[in-house]
Amino acid sequence: MASSSSLISNNNSIQEDHDHQVVDGKFIPSQEFVLQKHAAFFDRNHDGIIYPWETFQGCRAIGCGIALSTVAAIFINVGLSSKTRPGKFIHPLFPIEIKNIHLGKHGSDSGTYDTQGRFVGEKFEEIFKKHAKTNPEALTSKELDEMLHTNRLPKDYPGCCYILYRIGAFSEWKILYLLAKDKNGLLHKDKVRGVYDGTLFEQMEKEHSHQYSNKKL
């Protein structure tokens, strides 16, 4: 990683390196390494670190129930904290460092993120070429299950790690399907593309907030 440098722009103090910026104390995810943008949605105070309660808040913001949000927060933070904090002791609050989120990329994925967290368009298209048989632009629940089975992580990790990775991969996709499928049970390509760079999360948060406001009225 390149060493950080300090810049002054429009009277704002900016600390920058090759993969992210810190502007006035706020973490700005990389535009190139989109896995950071995916994770940054859950960084509710924009300090570059995601704590379990922020993961919980992020899940609630996109429409997950309390129980699902709690379970997701536990598995996500416990599973990713140590990997994104290389060389550091285990932290009792299990924080995730977004700048190192690529180090937590699990094996049970589609390869749409490369090892540095960049988006790989060819791998993204392969998801639908291989598995979207009912509709070339969407996945059914069964097709999603087939994809997860195809991409499952070889059992070459210690037992607990293997279980965490399997649950993590399964949960991420199942939550996405549950929240973003259409009335016909199809998960469309544009929704999947949006989750990779985090834009779908932002859209879902706005929609959920709007629905909640309408219910209060």
PDB file of all heavy atoms in Angstrom, residues 12 29-31 51 55-56 59 61-62 69 89 111-112 116 119 132 138 141 155 167 173-176 178 184 189 203:
ATOM      1  N   ASN A  12     -10.439  21.940   3.222  1.00  0.00           N
ATOM      2  CA  ASN A  12     -10.706  20.655   3.864  1.00  0.00           C
ATOM      3  C   ASN A  12      -9.410  19.859   3.936  1.00  0.00           C
ATOM      4  O   ASN A  12      -8.649  19.793   2.988  1.00  0.00           O
ATOM      5  CB  ASN A  12     -11.731  19.837   3.069  1.00  0.00           C
ATOM      6  CG  ASN A  12     -13.100  20.468   3.102  1.00  0.00           C
ATOM      7  OD1 ASN A  12     -13.473  21.076   4.091  1.00  0.00           O
ATOM      8  ND2 ASN A  12     -13.838  20.330   2.016  1.00  0.00           N
ATOM      9  N   PRO A  29     -14.882   5.675   0.509  1.00  0.00           N
ATOM     10  CA  PRO A  29     -14.448   4.428  -0.145  1.00  0.00           C
ATOM     11  C   PRO A  29     -13.925   4.663  -1.548  1.00  0.00           C
ATOM     12  O   PRO A  29     -14.300   5.632  -2.218  1.00  0.00           O
ATOM     13  CB  PRO A  29     -15.723   3.579  -0.166  1.00  0.00           C
ATOM     14  CG  PRO A  29     -16.842   4.560  -0.103  1.00  0.00           C
ATOM     15  CD  PRO A  29     -16.338   5.687   0.752  1.00  0.00           C
ATOM     16  N   SER A  30     -13.060   3.772  -1.987  1.00  0.00           N
ATOM     17  CA  SER A  30     -12.471   3.847  -3.314  1.00  0.00           C
ATOM     18  C   SER A  30     -13.516   3.669  -4.399  1.00  0.00           C
ATOM     19  O   SER A  30     -14.448   2.877  -4.264  1.00  0.00           O
ATOM     20  CB  SER A  30     -11.402   2.761  -3.450  1.00  0.00           C
ATOM     21  OG  SER A  30     -11.023   2.567  -4.789  1.00  0.00           O
ATOM     22  N   GLN A  31     -13.368   4.415  -5.486  1.00  0.00           N
ATOM     23  CA  GLN A  31     -14.232   4.235  -6.651  1.00  0.00           C
ATOM     24  C   GLN A  31     -13.790   3.023  -7.470  1.00  0.00           C
ATOM     25  O   GLN A  31     -14.592   2.417  -8.173  1.00  0.00           O
ATOM     26  CB  GLN A  31     -14.197   5.487  -7.540  1.00  0.00           C
ATOM     27  CG  GLN A  31     -14.792   6.721  -6.887  1.00  0.00           C
ATOM     28  CD  GLN A  31     -16.254   6.562  -6.553  1.00  0.00           C
ATOM     29  OE1 GLN A  31     -17.056   6.122  -7.380  1.00  0.00           O
ATOM     30  NE2 GLN A  31     -16.633   6.916  -5.332  1.00  0.00           N
ATOM     31  N   TYR A  51     -18.769  -1.595  13.218  1.00  0.00           N
ATOM     32  CA  TYR A  51     -18.991  -2.370  14.440  1.00  0.00           C
ATOM     33  C   TYR A  51     -20.293  -3.163  14.300  1.00  0.00           C
ATOM     34  O   TYR A  51     -21.135  -2.841  13.458  1.00  0.00           O
ATOM     35  CB  TYR A  51     -19.047  -1.450  15.652  1.00  0.00           C
ATOM     36  CG  TYR A  51     -17.701  -0.892  16.035  1.00  0.00           C
ATOM     37  CD1 TYR A  51     -17.302   0.369  15.604  1.00  0.00           C
ATOM     38  CD2 TYR A  51     -16.815  -1.633  16.819  1.00  0.00           C
ATOM     39  CE1 TYR A  51     -16.054   0.885  15.950  1.00  0.00           C
ATOM     40  CE2 TYR A  51     -15.565  -1.125  17.169  1.00  0.00           C
ATOM     41  CZ  TYR A  51     -15.196   0.132  16.727  1.00  0.00           C
ATOM     42  OH  TYR A  51     -13.964   0.618  17.059  1.00  0.00           O
ATOM     43  N   THR A  55     -23.615  -2.807  11.643  1.00  0.00           N
ATOM     44  CA  THR A  55     -24.118  -3.839  10.724  1.00  0.00           C
ATOM     45  C   THR A  55     -25.602  -4.069  10.989  1.00  0.00           C
ATOM     46  O   THR A  55     -26.404  -4.168  10.047  1.00  0.00           O
ATOM     47  CB  THR A  55     -23.348  -5.159  10.922  1.00  0.00           C
ATOM     48  OG1 THR A  55     -21.944  -4.916  10.745  1.00  0.00           O
ATOM     49  CG2 THR A  55     -23.800  -6.209   9.912  1.00  0.00           C
ATOM     50  N   PHE A  56     -25.972  -4.136  12.255  1.00  0.00           N
ATOM     51  CA  PHE A  56     -27.379  -4.286  12.637  1.00  0.00           C
ATOM     52  C   PHE A  56     -28.213  -3.126  12.101  1.00  0.00           C
ATOM     53  O   PHE A  56     -29.268  -3.331  11.489  1.00  0.00           O
ATOM     54  CB  PHE A  56     -27.493  -4.364  14.160  1.00  0.00           C
ATOM     55  CG  PHE A  56     -28.907  -4.395  14.679  1.00  0.00           C
ATOM     56  CD1 PHE A  56     -29.586  -5.590  14.803  1.00  0.00           C
ATOM     57  CD2 PHE A  56     -29.551  -3.216  15.040  1.00  0.00           C
ATOM     58  CE1 PHE A  56     -30.897  -5.619  15.279  1.00  0.00           C
ATOM     59  CE2 PHE A  56     -30.858  -3.228  15.504  1.00  0.00           C
ATOM     60  CZ  PHE A  56     -31.534  -4.443  15.629  1.00  0.00           C
ATOM     61  N   CYS A  59     -28.622  -3.348   8.308  1.00  0.00           N
ATOM     62  CA  CYS A  59     -29.593  -4.376   7.927  1.00  0.00           C
ATOM     63  C   CYS A  59     -31.017  -3.899   8.182  1.00  0.00           C
ATOM     64  O   CYS A  59     -31.914  -4.121   7.359  1.00  0.00           O
ATOM     65  CB  CYS A  59     -29.324  -5.667   8.696  1.00  0.00           C
ATOM     66  SG  CYS A  59     -27.826  -6.543   8.179  1.00  0.00           S
ATOM     67  N   ALA A  61     -31.985  -0.864   8.158  1.00  0.00           N
ATOM     68  CA  ALA A  61     -32.265   0.239   7.235  1.00  0.00           C
ATOM     69  C   ALA A  61     -32.767  -0.254   5.886  1.00  0.00           C
ATOM     70  O   ALA A  61     -33.523   0.447   5.204  1.00  0.00           O
ATOM     71  CB  ALA A  61     -31.015   1.099   7.044  1.00  0.00           C
ATOM     72  N   ILE A  62     -32.353  -1.461   5.480  1.00  0.00           N
ATOM     73  CA  ILE A  62     -32.799  -1.974   4.180  1.00  0.00           C
ATOM     74  C   ILE A  62     -34.007  -2.901   4.302  1.00  0.00           C
ATOM     75  O   ILE A  62     -34.438  -3.488   3.315  1.00  0.00           O
ATOM     76  CB  ILE A  62     -31.653  -2.698   3.436  1.00  0.00           C
ATOM     77  CG1 ILE A  62     -31.142  -3.902   4.231  1.00  0.00           C
ATOM     78  CG2 ILE A  62     -30.529  -1.719   3.117  1.00  0.00           C
ATOM     79  CD1 ILE A  62     -30.070  -4.705   3.497  1.00  0.00           C
ATOM     80  N   SER A  69     -31.375  -9.222  11.450  1.00  0.00           N
ATOM     81  CA  SER A  69     -30.324  -8.209  11.556  1.00  0.00           C
ATOM     82  C   SER A  69     -29.335  -8.561  12.661  1.00  0.00           C
ATOM     83  O   SER A  69     -28.122  -8.356  12.521  1.00  0.00           O
ATOM     84  CB  SER A  69     -30.935  -6.824  11.833  1.00  0.00           C
ATOM     85  OG  SER A  69     -31.786  -6.432  10.784  1.00  0.00           O
ATOM     86  N   PHE A  89      -4.423  -7.986  17.401  1.00  0.00           N
ATOM     87  CA  PHE A  89      -5.070  -8.930  18.292  1.00  0.00           C
ATOM     88  C   PHE A  89      -6.587  -8.897  18.069  1.00  0.00           C
ATOM     89  O   PHE A  89      -7.148  -7.905  17.606  1.00  0.00           O
ATOM     90  CB  PHE A  89      -4.772  -8.595  19.758  1.00  0.00           C
ATOM     91  CG  PHE A  89      -3.344  -8.857  20.151  1.00  0.00           C
ATOM     92  CD1 PHE A  89      -2.478  -7.803  20.413  1.00  0.00           C
ATOM     93  CD2 PHE A  89      -2.857 -10.162  20.257  1.00  0.00           C
ATOM     94  CE1 PHE A  89      -1.165  -8.031  20.777  1.00  0.00           C
ATOM     95  CE2 PHE A  89      -1.544 -10.403  20.615  1.00  0.00           C
ATOM     96  CZ  PHE A  89      -0.696  -9.337  20.873  1.00  0.00           C
ATOM     97  N   GLY A 111     -16.600 -14.666  -7.905  1.00  0.00           N
ATOM     98  CA  GLY A 111     -15.398 -14.115  -8.518  1.00  0.00           C
ATOM     99  C   GLY A 111     -15.630 -12.738  -9.114  1.00  0.00           C
ATOM    100  O   GLY A 111     -14.758 -12.203  -9.792  1.00  0.00           O
ATOM    101  N   THR A 112     -16.795 -12.151  -8.850  1.00  0.00           N
ATOM    102  CA  THR A 112     -17.112 -10.835  -9.414  1.00  0.00           C
ATOM    103  C   THR A 112     -16.251  -9.747  -8.796  1.00  0.00           C
ATOM    104  O   THR A 112     -16.047  -8.698  -9.392  1.00  0.00           O
ATOM    105  CB  THR A 112     -18.607 -10.523  -9.243  1.00  0.00           C
ATOM    106  OG1 THR A 112     -19.361 -11.570  -9.882  1.00  0.00           O
ATOM    107  CG2 THR A 112     -18.989  -9.216  -9.880  1.00  0.00           C
ATOM    108  N   GLN A 116      -8.390  -7.829  -4.996  1.00  0.00           N
ATOM    109  CA  GLN A 116      -8.237  -6.491  -4.440  1.00  0.00           C
ATOM    110  C   GLN A 116      -9.579  -5.785  -4.210  1.00  0.00           C
ATOM    111  O   GLN A 116      -9.616  -4.673  -3.720  1.00  0.00           O
ATOM    112  CB  GLN A 116      -7.366  -5.634  -5.377  1.00  0.00           C
ATOM    113  CG  GLN A 116      -5.946  -6.136  -5.535  1.00  0.00           C
ATOM    114  CD  GLN A 116      -5.204  -6.178  -4.215  1.00  0.00           C
ATOM    115  OE1 GLN A 116      -5.208  -5.201  -3.465  1.00  0.00           O
ATOM    116  NE2 GLN A 116      -4.581  -7.307  -3.914  1.00  0.00           N
ATOM    117  N   PHE A 119     -14.339  -4.700  -9.316  1.00  0.00           N
ATOM    118  CA  PHE A 119     -15.445  -5.366  -9.998  1.00  0.00           C
ATOM    119  C   PHE A 119     -14.950  -5.991 -11.292  1.00  0.00           C
ATOM    120  O   PHE A 119     -14.269  -5.351 -12.090  1.00  0.00           O
ATOM    121  CB  PHE A 119     -16.546  -4.341 -10.310  1.00  0.00           C
ATOM    122  CG  PHE A 119     -17.754  -4.930 -10.972  1.00  0.00           C
ATOM    123  CD1 PHE A 119     -18.698  -5.629 -10.230  1.00  0.00           C
ATOM    124  CD2 PHE A 119     -17.959  -4.787 -12.336  1.00  0.00           C
ATOM    125  CE1 PHE A 119     -19.820  -6.174 -10.841  1.00  0.00           C
ATOM    126  CE2 PHE A 119     -19.079  -5.320 -12.958  1.00  0.00           C
ATOM    127  CZ  PHE A 119     -20.008  -6.014 -12.210  1.00  0.00           C
ATOM    128  N   ALA A 132     -28.949 -18.371 -15.044  1.00  0.00           N
ATOM    129  CA  ALA A 132     -30.249 -17.772 -15.337  1.00  0.00           C
ATOM    130  C   ALA A 132     -30.903 -18.490 -16.513  1.00  0.00           C
ATOM    131  O   ALA A 132     -30.764 -18.087 -17.667  1.00  0.00           O
ATOM    132  CB  ALA A 132     -30.084 -16.282 -15.635  1.00  0.00           C
ATOM    133  N   ALA A 138     -32.366 -12.576 -14.975  1.00  0.00           N
ATOM    134  CA  ALA A 138     -32.773 -12.702 -13.578  1.00  0.00           C
ATOM    135  C   ALA A 138     -32.528 -14.120 -13.074  1.00  0.00           C
ATOM    136  O   ALA A 138     -32.327 -15.051 -13.855  1.00  0.00           O
ATOM    137  CB  ALA A 138     -34.247 -12.328 -13.424  1.00  0.00           C
ATOM    138  N   SER A 141     -35.258 -18.501  -7.215  1.00  0.00           N
ATOM    139  CA  SER A 141     -34.726 -19.010  -5.954  1.00  0.00           C
ATOM    140  C   SER A 141     -33.934 -20.292  -6.182  1.00  0.00           C
ATOM    141  O   SER A 141     -32.846 -20.482  -5.619  1.00  0.00           O
ATOM    142  CB  SER A 141     -35.875 -19.271  -4.977  1.00  0.00           C
ATOM    143  OG  SER A 141     -35.385 -19.806  -3.767  1.00  0.00           O
ATOM    144  N   LYS A 155     -13.714 -27.565   1.370  1.00  0.00           N
ATOM    145  CA  LYS A 155     -13.543 -27.689   2.824  1.00  0.00           C
ATOM    146  C   LYS A 155     -12.061 -27.820   3.175  1.00  0.00           C
ATOM    147  O   LYS A 155     -11.579 -28.858   3.617  1.00  0.00           O
ATOM    148  CB  LYS A 155     -14.330 -28.888   3.347  1.00  0.00           C
ATOM    149  CG  LYS A 155     -14.538 -28.851   4.851  1.00  0.00           C
ATOM    150  CD  LYS A 155     -15.535 -29.908   5.288  1.00  0.00           C
ATOM    151  CE  LYS A 155     -15.790 -29.828   6.779  1.00  0.00           C
ATOM    152  NZ  LYS A 155     -16.795 -30.805   7.245  1.00  0.00           N
ATOM    153  N   ILE A 167     -22.047 -20.101   5.889  1.00  0.00           N
ATOM    154  CA  ILE A 167     -23.214 -19.359   6.356  1.00  0.00           C
ATOM    155  C   ILE A 167     -23.185 -17.940   5.806  1.00  0.00           C
ATOM    156  O   ILE A 167     -24.213 -17.395   5.391  1.00  0.00           O
ATOM    157  CB  ILE A 167     -23.262 -19.345   7.897  1.00  0.00           C
ATOM    158  CG1 ILE A 167     -23.548 -20.748   8.425  1.00  0.00           C
ATOM    159  CG2 ILE A 167     -24.329 -18.367   8.392  1.00  0.00           C
ATOM    160  CD1 ILE A 167     -23.506 -20.855   9.937  1.00  0.00           C
ATOM    161  N   TRP A 173     -26.609 -13.853  -0.016  1.00  0.00           N
ATOM    162  CA  TRP A 173     -27.427 -14.003  -1.217  1.00  0.00           C
ATOM    163  C   TRP A 173     -28.896 -14.210  -0.882  1.00  0.00           C
ATOM    164  O   TRP A 173     -29.784 -13.694  -1.577  1.00  0.00           O
ATOM    165  CB  TRP A 173     -26.906 -15.160  -2.064  1.00  0.00           C
ATOM    166  CG  TRP A 173     -25.711 -14.792  -2.876  1.00  0.00           C
ATOM    167  CD1 TRP A 173     -24.407 -15.052  -2.591  1.00  0.00           C
ATOM    168  CD2 TRP A 173     -25.703 -14.073  -4.115  1.00  0.00           C
ATOM    169  NE1 TRP A 173     -23.587 -14.547  -3.569  1.00  0.00           N
ATOM    170  CE2 TRP A 173     -24.363 -13.943  -4.521  1.00  0.00           C
ATOM    171  CE3 TRP A 173     -26.704 -13.533  -4.914  1.00  0.00           C
ATOM    172  CZ2 TRP A 173     -23.993 -13.298  -5.695  1.00  0.00           C
ATOM    173  CZ3 TRP A 173     -26.341 -12.887  -6.091  1.00  0.00           C
ATOM    174  CH2 TRP A 173     -24.997 -12.777  -6.460  1.00  0.00           C
ATOM    175  N   LYS A 174     -29.177 -14.964   0.173  1.00  0.00           N
ATOM    176  CA  LYS A 174     -30.565 -15.227   0.537  1.00  0.00           C
ATOM    177  C   LYS A 174     -31.258 -13.956   1.032  1.00  0.00           C
ATOM    178  O   LYS A 174     -32.441 -13.728   0.747  1.00  0.00           O
ATOM    179  CB  LYS A 174     -30.632 -16.324   1.606  1.00  0.00           C
ATOM    180  CG  LYS A 174     -30.468 -17.726   1.038  1.00  0.00           C
ATOM    181  CD  LYS A 174     -31.583 -18.049   0.037  1.00  0.00           C
ATOM    182  CE  LYS A 174     -31.525 -19.456  -0.482  1.00  0.00           C
ATOM    183  NZ  LYS A 174     -32.628 -19.765  -1.418  1.00  0.00           N
ATOM    184  N   ILE A 175     -30.534 -13.137   1.775  1.00  0.00           N
ATOM    185  CA  ILE A 175     -31.105 -11.865   2.225  1.00  0.00           C
ATOM    186  C   ILE A 175     -31.365 -10.959   1.027  1.00  0.00           C
ATOM    187  O   ILE A 175     -32.414 -10.304   0.935  1.00  0.00           O
ATOM    188  CB  ILE A 175     -30.155 -11.176   3.234  1.00  0.00           C
ATOM    189  CG1 ILE A 175     -30.125 -11.958   4.545  1.00  0.00           C
ATOM    190  CG2 ILE A 175     -30.607  -9.732   3.500  1.00  0.00           C
ATOM    191  CD1 ILE A 175     -29.090 -11.462   5.528  1.00  0.00           C
ATOM    192  N   LEU A 176     -30.412 -10.931   0.109  1.00  0.00           N
ATOM    193  CA  LEU A 176     -30.588 -10.131  -1.110  1.00  0.00           C
ATOM    194  C   LEU A 176     -31.820 -10.597  -1.870  1.00  0.00           C
ATOM    195  O   LEU A 176     -32.649  -9.771  -2.294  1.00  0.00           O
ATOM    196  CB  LEU A 176     -29.350 -10.248  -2.000  1.00  0.00           C
ATOM    197  CG  LEU A 176     -29.466  -9.638  -3.405  1.00  0.00           C
ATOM    198  CD1 LEU A 176     -29.729  -8.142  -3.328  1.00  0.00           C
ATOM    199  CD2 LEU A 176     -28.208  -9.921  -4.221  1.00  0.00           C
ATOM    200  N   LEU A 178     -34.433 -12.283  -0.758  1.00  0.00           N
ATOM    201  CA  LEU A 178     -35.637 -12.021   0.031  1.00  0.00           C
ATOM    202  C   LEU A 178     -36.096 -10.574  -0.097  1.00  0.00           C
ATOM    203  O   LEU A 178     -37.295 -10.288  -0.236  1.00  0.00           O
ATOM    204  CB  LEU A 178     -35.362 -12.359   1.499  1.00  0.00           C
ATOM    205  CG  LEU A 178     -36.502 -12.091   2.497  1.00  0.00           C
ATOM    206  CD1 LEU A 178     -37.670 -13.026   2.233  1.00  0.00           C
ATOM    207  CD2 LEU A 178     -36.001 -12.250   3.927  1.00  0.00           C
ATOM    208  N   ASN A 184     -42.772 -11.870  -9.015  1.00  0.00           N
ATOM    209  CA  ASN A 184     -42.724 -13.194  -9.643  1.00  0.00           C
ATOM    210  C   ASN A 184     -41.599 -14.066  -9.092  1.00  0.00           C
ATOM    211  O   ASN A 184     -41.329 -15.153  -9.605  1.00  0.00           O
ATOM    212  CB  ASN A 184     -42.569 -13.049 -11.161  1.00  0.00           C
ATOM    213  CG  ASN A 184     -43.748 -12.343 -11.800  1.00  0.00           C
ATOM    214  OD1 ASN A 184     -44.900 -12.653 -11.491  1.00  0.00           O
ATOM    215  ND2 ASN A 184     -43.478 -11.390 -12.679  1.00  0.00           N
ATOM    216  N   LYS A 189     -30.966  -8.736 -12.745  1.00  0.00           N
ATOM    217  CA  LYS A 189     -29.546  -8.430 -12.903  1.00  0.00           C
ATOM    218  C   LYS A 189     -29.186  -7.054 -12.354  1.00  0.00           C
ATOM    219  O   LYS A 189     -28.146  -6.883 -11.721  1.00  0.00           O
ATOM    220  CB  LYS A 189     -29.138  -8.534 -14.384  1.00  0.00           C
ATOM    221  CG  LYS A 189     -27.655  -8.270 -14.616  1.00  0.00           C
ATOM    222  CD  LYS A 189     -27.299  -8.226 -16.104  1.00  0.00           C
ATOM    223  CE  LYS A 189     -27.283  -9.598 -16.724  1.00  0.00           C
ATOM    224  NZ  LYS A 189     -26.714  -9.585 -18.097  1.00  0.00           N
ATOM    225  N   GLN A 203     -30.661   2.625  -2.255  1.00  0.00           N
ATOM    226  CA  GLN A 203     -32.006   2.689  -2.820  1.00  0.00           C
ATOM    227  C   GLN A 203     -33.014   2.009  -1.889  1.00  0.00           C
ATOM    228  O   GLN A 203     -34.108   2.539  -1.644  1.00  0.00           O
ATOM    229  CB  GLN A 203     -32.021   2.008  -4.182  1.00  0.00           C
ATOM    230  CG  GLN A 203     -33.398   1.939  -4.837  1.00  0.00           C
ATOM    231  CD  GLN A 203     -33.378   1.110  -6.120  1.00  0.00           C
ATOM    232  OE1 GLN A 203     -32.337   0.901  -6.739  1.00  0.00           O
ATOM    233  NE2 GLN A 203     -34.537   0.622  -6.507  1.00  0.00           N
TER     234      GLN A 203
END
